[in-house]
Amino acid sequence: MATAAQRAARTRADGPADETGFAAAYETAFDAAVAADERIEPRDWMPEAYRATLVRQIAQHAHSEIIGMQPEANWITRAPSLRRKAILMAKVQDEAGHGLYLYSAAETLGTSRDELLDKLHSGRQKYSSIFNYPTLTWADVGAIGWLVDGAAITNQVPLCRCSYGPYARAMVRICKEESFHQRQGYELLLALSRGTPEQHAMAQDAVDRWWWPSLMMFGPPDDESQHSAQSMEWKIKRHSNDELRQRFVDICVPQAESLGLTLPDPELVWNEERGHHDFGEIDWTEFREVLKGNGPCNEQRITQRRRAHEEGAWVRDAAAAYARKHTAEEHGKAAA
Amino acid sequence: MTVTVDAAALALGDDALVLSHRLGEWAGHAPVLEEEVALANIALDLLGQARVLLSMAGDEDELAYLREERAFRNLQLVEQPNGDFAHTIARQLYFSTYQRLLYAHLASGDGRFAGLAAKAVKEVAYHQDHAEQWTLRLGDGTDISHERMRTACRALWRYTGEMFEPVEGLDVDWEGLRSAWLESVSAVLLRATLDVPEGPPSGAWSAGAGRQGVHTEPFGLMLAEMQHLHRSHPGASW
């Protein structure tokens, strides 16, 4: 559905006879709609660069959900109680569902899921760097829930107000489920932290390994973030990487305390003047290496994803062949 | 741990627990995203059933994590490795048809499983529909998928006879169940352009073996993985 401002602009755009006139009028309408906090919808005119940025961002988000199933699925068969196993399976299932929502949202921009998966498999599109870290113990499942989902929520809640309607609506549904997962992860860690000394140590070790990679989820520092300024202007993004990272740190510190766990940063301290926690420097070399494909699990994650896709090709072919045959049959019956 | 003799709750509970575990192994490996959702959904339904049933027999976690292979009472069919997607679908077709007929029967009576069965039969109807739809697509899809589905149906056929061995504590007409099952499965296989595997539906030695605690080799490995963490921390809660 066109926004009010755009409909008005289109009416005006009927006037000028030349293409430039149309484009200029549409662009003005688009800018006005964004400025008025209206939602851009699939059939509305949008700048090509806006479309491309959204495809890149939504696809990367969808890929992250799909690759993100792997580190957690790694523990489904070893979950230590039936209750935890059920929670974990439901969570991994939700992630597949989130991937589906997000691929659908991306498709409204004129691409297809097949095309996007192809780009993932060939390395032309990325997924979140966090999923290149391994889940080495059961406690990692809790740390992922608490920290990784926590960071994702901090990033994603503002996306519920993103200027592109289909993405914003997908985020509303996804954020509800994510915050549920985050509470479950926290509760898992709490059970370990209050459990036997071995369980407590397992929880602390997991938090030690996941803390810094979680902070990296907010992306490069503001002065190095190439897409930020434009995305904020278009209201795809509402806050800078560093703002969101700070918000996340401030949320986590008291939560870690109530968990009875420490965060692995000797420089982490409350700054009365700023009203925020100061924290240590992120290892940006590691961040860049992981993004380049040199993290601990990059190779493993993409290989498994490709293998699932390739080994499933005959199943997808069968479904397509069956559909062709039986659609033809239905047509035959209708004609007869 | 508690010694339990609740044969019926264990048989039904172990079937659901073990098949749920096998389906959980698919997470992240399915041929298409929709199947990630569907297989996990079925696994969750089965795990939910297992928890109710095992709780009728004792403590669910003790029963799942602290029994050894010889104490499990599940069918050998459900412990079979996933194999390719066709094997998983054939296993689902055979088992969900059995489970639906059995639960429909239990739900209609007033026995101790009537409540559970009444709830579970709705889930199982979905599982059966899912398996049937895929049997049709694979059987009547491409030459390759037809061949794979045919191979899978034959390979698992020998484990189907055991489903109709009487379970102590369940008041069921097992022969009637067998013919209803055969009728339903045959109809789907024929529609899928597949033949109904020949020969007795039970490998001679294996009939009833899972229900007696005699399992196939892959099952021990499955349990080793499933139980490892729980057993490494005796007495801990999670």
Side-chain angles (χ1 to χ4, degrees), chain A residues 77 79-80 84-85 113 316 326, chain B residues 31 34 65 140 225 230 238:
Chain A
T77 54
R84 293 290 179 197
K85 187 172 182 166
R113 196 209 299 183
R316 297 189 300 276
H326 291 271
Chain B
E34 284 80 355
Y65 291 100
D140 192 15
E225 184 174 349
H230 186 97
W238 300 93

Side-chain angles (χ1 to χ4, degrees), chain A residues 300-313:
Chain A
Q300 177 188 329
R301 299 286 185 244
I302 205 69
T303 300
Q304 181 181 325
R305 180 86 270 287
R306 275 195 212 121
R307 189 189 300 138
H309 190 73
E310 282 159 16
E311 288 179 356

